[in-house]
Amino acid sequence: SGEMDAEWLSTADAAPDHVVLYFHGGGYFMCSAASHRPLTSRLAQGARRRVLSINYRQAPEHHFPAWLEDAVSAYRFLLDQGYAPEKIALGGDSAGGNLVLITLQQLRSEKLPMPGAAFCISPWADLACESPSIVGNADRDVMFAANGMRALAHYHVASHDAKDPLLSPVHGDFSGFPSLLIQ
């Protein structure tokens, strides 16, 4: 949807015809391509691939599905640049991992060619926040408080169904997805 801020990361030995489209984490309201540069630069170096890290629209100025629209737009941009779908990988962490999973669903829905692979690092896959692990790990999680996660999820879900697979991909259908690594 129009212009988008993004950054390319690459190394001298990067395969010119392969690319990783990366979605940063941050709960859909903070962080950026710049904040995640230590991660994406290492990814570019380790994978020997170019990495396109986008600054998708975030809350509070924007609401769902703005970030999904931006992710699909970035994927279309790569296709328009001549990248073969099978040589594109999607990746993301936390909310960015959620964005990987919902983008794959949206690409399938729009009948766009699937990327060759995808990976998620600790994806926030359930905005309904019903997983027993949220309660079971509440005292062990050093980064996220269960009540804070629920409040943020409630804000993003707003009047939508929290179990909508485009918000909570854990409730979605993964058939037809490319090879997918979830860590």
Side-chain angles (χ1 to χ4, degrees):
S1 56
E3 296 286 319
M4 184 183 318
D5 182 45
E7 68 179 32
W8 282 102
L9 297 104
S10 190
T11 60
D13 62 348
D17 59 343
H18 287 76
V19 66
V20 175
L21 176 56
Y22 195 82
F23 309 128
H24 66 80
Y28 290 126
F29 78 94
M30 63 182 192
C31 297
S32 65
S35 72
H36 278 61
R37 194 173 299 132
L39 188 155
T40 52
S41 64
R42 287 185 183 158
L43 176 61
Q45 182 179 24
R48 289 182 283 160
R49 301 286 189 259
R50 294 184 79 197
V51 174
L52 179 62
S53 182
I54 69 166
N55 287 312
Y56 53 82
R57 291 174 289 167
Q58 299 184 75
E61 296 83 9
H62 303 282
H63 301 280
F64 173 81
W67 41 83
L68 177 58
E69 293 166 355
D70 289 349
V72 172
S73 179
Y75 184 75
R76 287 180 182 274
F77 167 80
L78 291 174
L79 294 175
D80 291 346
Q81 295 302 303
Y83 285 97
E86 64 273 9
K87 294 186 178 182
I88 300 172
L90 303 185
D93 64 284
S94 192
N98 173 292
L99 191 48
V100 166
L101 297 171
I102 66 175
T103 298
L104 290 171
Q105 291 180 68
Q106 189 65 30
L107 296 177
R108 184 182 59 207
S109 175
E110 293 185 24
K111 298 186 179 4
L112 287 168
M114 281 290 180
F119 65 93
C120 303
I121 304 166
S122 298
W124 189 20
D126 185 11
L127 273 67
C129 297
E130 294 180 345
S131 168
S133 70
I134 290 176
V135 174
N137 292 310
D139 294 334
R140 287 183 238 155
D141 196 322
V142 298
M143 195 165 182
F144 300 107
N147 287 340
M149 285 178 57
R150 285 187 189 100
L152 184 57
H154 181 73
Y155 176 81
H156 289 316
V157 168
S159 63
H160 301 281
D161 177 2
K163 291 185 179 179
D164 179 337
L166 290 179
L167 285 163
S168 296
V170 71
H171 298 288
D173 172 12
F174 288 35
S175 63
F177 278 21
S179 295
L180 177 62
L181 172 65
I182 299 176
Q183 294 186 327

